[in-house]
């Protein structure tokens, strides 16, 4: 996934107007909310850039921006649910080692 972030960063550097417009659009769609510097400039975390890169990938393949944002949110929720399920499974295996065997 880091290559996607690197590609998005290159895209931001190469086409600042387009990239900034896209970041604003997904901000308006409430996919990401950037922090603001004291001077009012938007500041994005690595996580936000990764999310933005995934949304950009979907949009580049023809998905409307609103749908792309919803897909990214659902993918993120699914990943979090899988992580929590794995944690619960590990905790259950520790608490009941004979049941797991």
């Amino acid at each position: 996934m880091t290559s996607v972030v690197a590609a998005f960063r290159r895209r931001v550097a190469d086409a600042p107007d387009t990239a900034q417009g896209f970041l604003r659009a997904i901000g308006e769609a409430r996919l990401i909310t950037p922090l603001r510097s004291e001077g009012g400039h938007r500041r994005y975390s690595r996580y936000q850039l990764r999310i933005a890169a995934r949304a950009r990938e979907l949009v580049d393949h023809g998905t409307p921006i609103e749908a792309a944002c919803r897909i990214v949110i659902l993918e993120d929720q699914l990943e979090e649910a899988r992580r929590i399920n794995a944690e619960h499974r590990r905790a259950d295996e520790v608490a009941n080692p004979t049941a797991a065997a």
Side-chain angles (χ1 to χ4, degrees):
M1 189 60 97
T2 56
S3 63
V4 173
V5 173
F8 186 76
R9 286 184 182 158
R10 281 193 298 277
R11 198 177 288 160
V12 168
D14 293 343
D17 294 333
T18 303
Q20 289 176 4
F22 182 75
L23 290 171
R24 278 190 211 104
I26 62 174
E28 289 171 9
R30 298 179 186 251
L31 179 61
I32 59 174
T33 303
L35 296 175
R36 296 286 184 154
S37 69
E38 289 182 20
H41 299 284
R42 291 175 182 85
R43 299 288 180 213
Y44 298 94
S45 68
R46 289 182 180 172
Y47 172 76
Q48 288 174 323
L49 289 176
R50 192 173 68 242
I51 293 295
R54 176 64 179 135
R56 179 87 244 187
E57 180 183 324
L58 291 166
V59 169
D60 286 348
H61 285 94
T63 306
I65 194 164
E66 296 82 12
C69 290
R70 184 67 182 139
I71 289 167
V72 170
I73 289 167
L74 291 170
E75 288 175 342
D76 195 51
Q77 289 173 344
L78 177 60
E79 182 62 32
E80 178 68 6
R82 286 178 173 161
R83 186 190 62 76
I84 291 169
N85 284 342
E87 285 178 10
H88 286 291
R89 227 177 282 116
R90 282 190 297 274
D92 189 47
E93 288 171 2
V94 169
N96 303 308
T98 56

